[in-house]
Amino acid sequence: MANEVKKVRLAIVGCGGIAHLHMQGYEQIKRAEPEKFEIVAVCDPIDERAQEFANWAEQFQGKRPQVYTDHEVLLKEETDNLDAVDINTPHHLHHLIGIACLEAGLHVMIEKPIGITVKATKAIMEAAKRAGKFAATAENIRRGVPQRTAWWLFNENKLIGEITLFYAIQVGYLPPTQPGQEPEWHWRVNKFFSGGGLVLDSGAHFCDTIRYLFGEVKQVHAVVKRIVPRPFRKNDELVIDDREDTWMAVLEFESGLMGLWSYTNTAPAHEFTQVVYYATEGALVDIGDAFHGPRGDALVKHVNGQVRSLNELSKDFRAAIGEEKWQKLFPHDFTNGFTLECYDFLDAVQNNRPPEITVEDGLRAKAISFAIYEASATGQTVKVQDVIDGNVEVYQRPINEHWGLQ
Ligand SMILES: NC(=O)c1ccc[n+]([C@@H]2O[C@H](COP(=O)([O-])OP(=O)(O)OC[C@H]3O[C@@H](n4cnc5c(N)ncnc54)[C@H](O)[C@@H]3O)[C@@H](O)[C@H]2O)c1
């Protein structure tokens, strides 16, 4: 009996874009460990999306989940049949739905950036404490083999010495929207629904990764702007996208490390991306973008001329940590970050342990993004801790007021 662990009874709320990658993950987990979980209910206000997920789950688990179009009805009817909820909604709903699930006594995993503002995230954190349940941040990027290898490179192996500085710069060009060809409005375009643009959205991944690799960011200096106005069509009206298209941010870490993180999509005729992490005896040169790396084909270049990719180095990493630790990071040899985040969530619920990336981690990562917005809004250097403590809240205040977040 002691070894008998209960199947996790799961609901999925929000069956849009990213939830498809969670579902692929659950399908993969089901094949490897059929007794790990069962999807009991799915929910999306767009009924066809929820139905599609119910069909999909039925096909890999043999039993069709209940379908809901309202999370309140789901909680009313299914709470006793559930242990946990995986929430994949637009940002403004993270805290509203997350807190309702926690108050119903269910563990939650909420997609990054876990809350629309710092206050929203703290409200989720407090609800989790009150309920004695956990809130996990769904974060897939740091779980990849290259990112885990980069952690080992900088924190244990030290092949290129100690990290000193980094440049993560992505300069691209998105041609201005032509009249009559405006894209359809969606929730990401308005910061009352999204909280911000790429500093916060894909930026949540970069901020989590740099914290994971290099520790806490102490303070930031930054300028954030929209340079090219971009209209979207909402019904018959044209609405301006109020998110940033450009930023330059200097990050100073508690350790003394400094980094420049900059992005634009307004630079015609000469686009470039340079993401390079410098250490005392070499550099890690990423080939990817300024959000989702470092990638497996990133090159570890030693000042003595030796060059190896992170993919090559991952074999040394595996040998160095041994099979037991490797299997903890990559159970069933899963390497897809979404599968791994879903597995960590289920396993944490099943074994009554904290997930790897908690709501507190999500808060600390997003506080870097908000420190960048706040530094630009105030024209001051901003300490990340002051953003967490609510001492600086110029950019976020209207969003907090809009959602009644005190
Ligand atoms: N990890 C990643 O790489 C990654 C990538 C994209 C998005 N995301 C995150 O995933 C989340 C969702 O983004 P997306 O791109 O999938 O958005 P999306 O718009 O494609 O999907 C959101 C879904 O939520 C549904 N929804 C809206 N209101 C709801 C409600 N009250 N109850 C239940 N469902 C509701 C929508 O109908 C839609 O199907 C965001 O937090 C986003 O930042 C993560």
Side-chain angles (χ1 to χ4, degrees):
M1 283 304 278
N3 288 334
E4 198 174 304
V5 188
K6 262 181 53 190
K7 239 183 209 182
V8 175
R9 299 165 305 168
L10 182 69
I12 296 179
V13 174
C15 307
I18 212 58
H20 283 78
L21 301 187
H22 290 218
M23 276 295 271
Q24 282 172 11
Y26 290 124
E27 184 171 5
Q28 209 184 353
I29 296 166
K30 197 69 180 175
R31 279 200 297 273
E33 242 181 279
E35 293 305 304
K36 192 98 190 148
F37 74 101
E38 180 186 320
I39 299 174
V40 170
V42 293
C43 174
D44 197 293
I46 302 176
D47 183 55
E48 308 88 80
R49 292 189 183 174
Q51 297 290 351
E52 179 206 340
F53 270 46
N55 292 341
W56 187 354
E58 183 178 14
Q59 167 246 308
F60 67 71
Q61 68 181 18
K63 197 164 162 198
R64 188 178 167 79
Q66 295 297 318
V67 172
Y68 293 90
T69 52
D70 181 334
H71 75 275
E72 286 180 11
V73 181
L74 180 153
L75 287 177
K76 203 157 147 236
E77 295 188 6
E78 299 288 348
T79 294
D80 291 346
N81 305 324
L82 288 172
D83 302 301
V85 185
D86 177 352
I87 300 170
N88 301 285
T89 61
H91 301 168
H92 67 290
L93 295 169
H94 286 181
H95 69 285
L96 295 170
I97 298 179
I99 291 170
C101 293
L102 287 162
E103 286 178 347
L106 304 171
H107 296 289
V108 294
M109 175 168 74
I110 306 177
E111 258 298 343
K112 46 59 59 177
I114 194 159
I116 188 162
T117 59
V118 163
K119 276 194 171 141
T121 314
K122 284 168 89 175
I124 298 170
M125 208 162 96
E126 279 148 24
K129 275 196 197 120
R130 281 197 308 274
K133 298 289 163 185
F134 69 70
T137 303
E139 175 52 68
N140 54 306
I141 296 299
R142 73 152 83 167
R143 298 177 193 269
V145 174
Q147 290 82 355
R148 298 292 197 193
T149 306
W151 184 91
W152 177 70
L153 172 72
F154 286 119
N155 292 280
E156 288 184 352
N157 160 270
K158 309 266 174 104
L159 179 67
I160 52 170
E162 300 288 341
I163 181 80
T164 51
L165 71 161
F166 67 77
Y167 298 87
I169 305 172
Q170 185 171 342
V171 174
Y173 184 56
L174 199 57
T177 314
Q178 298 306 313
Q181 297 185 338
E182 303 83 9
E184 283 280 304
W185 186 92
H186 56 102
W187 64 268
R188 277 194 165 85
V189 170
N190 182 305
K191 58 181 173 228
F192 291 114
F193 296 95
S194 61
L198 284 182
V199 169
L200 176 67
D201 195 323
S202 298
H205 295 303
F206 183 72
C207 292
D208 179 74
T209 301
I210 56 174
R211 266 193 83 233
Y212 172 60
L213 294 178
F214 310 125
E216 302 300 342
V217 174
K218 184 170 81 178
Q219 60 187 21
V220 312
H221 323 260
V223 180
V224 181
K225 283 196 172 168
R226 169 156 286 277
I227 293 178
V228 177
R230 197 170 290 276
F232 278 75
R233 188 166 293 281
K234 189 177 186 189
N235 304 320
D236 283 333
E237 257 181 82
L238 284 189
V239 189
I240 293 298
D241 180 351
D242 62 359
R243 301 166 302 166
E244 72 280 1
D245 56 21
T246 302
W247 70 89
M248 297 192 186
V250 174
L251 312 178
E252 290 180 70
F253 287 66
E254 296 285 358
S255 65
L257 165 67
M258 61 180 163
L260 171 68
W261 184 33
S262 178
Y263 168 90
T264 188
N265 60 25
T266 68
H270 185 80
E271 299 177 55
F272 71 96
T273 296
Q274 286 285 331
V275 182
V276 187
Y277 300 89
Y278 287 97
T280 47
E281 293 161 54
L284 172 63
V285 183
D286 198 0
I287 317 287
D289 63 20
F291 300 97
H292 301 94
R295 292 188 347 186
D297 50 3
L299 297 177
V300 182
K301 295 183 165 185
H302 197 279
V303 68
N304 69 11
Q306 192 193 35
V307 180
R308 297 173 75 194
S309 70
L310 276 183
N311 277 338
E312 286 163 353
L313 205 63
S314 70
K315 297 182 181 70
D316 296 11
F317 168 45
R318 185 169 186 162
I321 64 169
E323 271 316 292
E324 200 181 324
K325 281 195 184 159
W326 182 269
Q327 285 301 329
K328 278 217 167 98
L329 290 176
F330 307 105
H332 303 288
D333 282 326
F334 296 145
T335 51
N336 179 293
F338 293 102
T339 307
L340 288 165
E341 79 186 11
C342 293
Y343 188 91
D344 184 40
F345 177 47
L346 295 172
D347 199 66
V349 175
Q350 202 171 42
N351 293 300
N352 203 20
R353 62 155 174 93
E356 176 183 341
I357 309 171
T358 60
V359 58
E360 287 81 1
D361 290 305
L363 175 67
R364 292 206 159 270
K366 77 181 305 160
I368 303 169
S369 299
F370 278 111
I372 291 171
Y373 288 125
E374 298 293 358
S376 183
T378 58
Q380 308 277 323
T381 297
V382 167
K383 291 199 172 6
V384 173
Q385 192 59 47
D386 277 338
V387 174
I388 293 173
D389 293 343
N391 300 333
V392 190
E393 202 205 60
V394 174
Y395 172 87
Q396 295 171 88
R397 187 170 300 123
I399 307 172
N400 283 330
E401 283 174 1
H402 186 86
W403 296 108
L405 285 156
Q406 319 251 324

